[in-house]
Amino acid sequence: MRRRPSRRRLLLVLVAATLAVVVADVGEWPAATHVRGAGAAVLGPLERLAGRGGSGALGVDDAAAGRERMGFEAAELGRGLEEARQLRELLDAPGASGARFVPARVVAVGAQGASGPEQVTIDIGSRDGISPDLTVVNAQGLVGRVVSAGPWTADVLLVGSADLAVGVRVGSAGTLGSLTGATGPAGAQPRPAGRLGLELVERGTLQVGDAVRTMGSVGGRPFVAGIPVGRVTEVDTAGGRFAATGAVTPSVDVTSLDIVGVLLSAPRTSPRAPVQGGSG
């Protein structure tokens, strides 16, 4: 015969669940209200059971329905906690430091390309201050750019899309380059799935491990400067080209996007020192 859960064990479950709800609330994520509601729904049956000291008879059907309901509500609570965790990571990311952004959730995925989805839909739009050509990031780096915005949703073209080219700086020297979803230069071996094509636009060298960051656009649209894009993982050896080419593994896995941020302003940067020309 199975033993009923002790009052002490139930109390520990209540304390753990309560702490989880508090952590989500501290994150000040809009889903916190949802988390609190799910938490109350989960804690309520446990509190009633603990108050009875594990006694009291329930019908078999009632018990089964209660377990199913609590399982669903616990899953919803876990979802809210995960969203709060991702938002906290985004707030703490170097690329978001000093920037104003609107957090969003991916709610739909568009057509698939060679390296995954090429476009997603997020749950914010023009009523939230979103317009085309804004930079989209997550805690790991560049996600893409907004290409269209309705009142409540917006479409984002993702890094790796065949239609998206990103001006970048490569390595410690900041060599200028262009990053696309192309499979590679003419005559080169096809890139593995998930790799991006990089071509320098000025003379310079590429090395495996070089960091790749956004070069930035005028007014920060469509890309603000300094956002991590990825790292060089392959350098093409074939000659005959003006500048070096290679492959980049992106910082962001576009196949598992969830919480993202749309930048409304560029991250804070160091002030530029003034200079003075010669007197003649």
Side-chain angles (χ1 to χ4, degrees):
M1 182 174 180
R2 296 180 58 187
R3 297 177 57 189
R4 295 185 182 279
S6 67
R7 181 187 295 268
R8 183 176 181 181
R9 184 179 302 173
L10 289 171
L11 180 59
L12 290 176
V13 173
L14 288 171
V15 171
T18 301
L19 286 175
V21 175
V22 170
V23 169
D25 197 24
V26 169
E28 297 181 356
W29 171 230
T33 301
H34 176 68
V35 172
R36 286 194 296 269
V42 172
L43 295 177
L46 290 174
E47 289 169 343
R48 289 193 295 272
L49 183 57
R52 290 197 302 264
S55 64
L58 288 176
V60 173
D61 291 341
D62 291 339
R67 285 194 298 270
E68 183 178 353
R69 183 174 63 254
M70 290 177 64
F72 172 78
E73 291 165 346
E76 288 292 294
L77 175 60
R79 167 72 173 171
L81 291 173
E82 174 61 17
E83 289 181 353
R85 183 192 66 78
Q86 291 187 40
L87 177 62
R88 175 50 58 189
E89 288 185 351
L90 178 56
L91 290 169
D92 293 338
S97 178
R100 292 175 57 248
F101 66 89
V102 182
R105 180 188 297 107
V106 173
V107 293
V109 178
Q112 297 287 314
S115 301
E118 297 198 341
Q119 186 168 296
V120 296
T121 300
I122 55 178
D123 64 349
I124 55 175
S126 58
R127 292 176 181 263
D128 305 293
I130 306 305
S131 59
D133 289 335
L134 290 177
T135 307
V136 183
V137 300
N138 72 0
Q140 285 69 51
L142 183 68
V143 170
R145 69 179 180 93
V146 176
V147 290
S148 64
W152 299 111
T153 62
D155 292 329
V156 178
L157 193 63
L158 301 178
V159 170
S161 167
D163 297 326
L164 184 66
V166 184
V168 296
R169 291 188 178 274
V170 183
S172 58
T175 309
L176 298 180
S178 177
L179 195 70
T180 68
T183 57
Q189 293 294 322
R191 309 282 188 212
R195 302 284 177 86
L196 308 175
L198 171 65
E199 182 175 2
L200 298 185
V201 296
E202 61 178 352
R203 290 194 181 275
T205 58
L206 287 178
Q207 291 186 352
V208 172
D210 279 347
V212 180
R213 295 179 175 271
T214 53
M215 177 176 63
S217 311
V218 176
R221 300 171 75 118
F223 300 113
V224 302
I227 302 299
V229 182
R231 287 192 177 273
V232 176
T233 50
E234 182 181 344
V235 177
D236 297 324
T237 57
R241 289 185 292 273
F242 169 77
T245 61
V248 170
T249 296
S251 300
V252 174
D253 180 4
V254 297
T255 65
S256 59
L257 290 173
D258 191 3
I259 302 301
V260 300
V262 180
L263 297 180
L264 300 181
S265 68
R268 186 180 298 119
T269 59
S270 300
R272 181 174 298 174
V275 296
Q276 183 174 344
S279 58

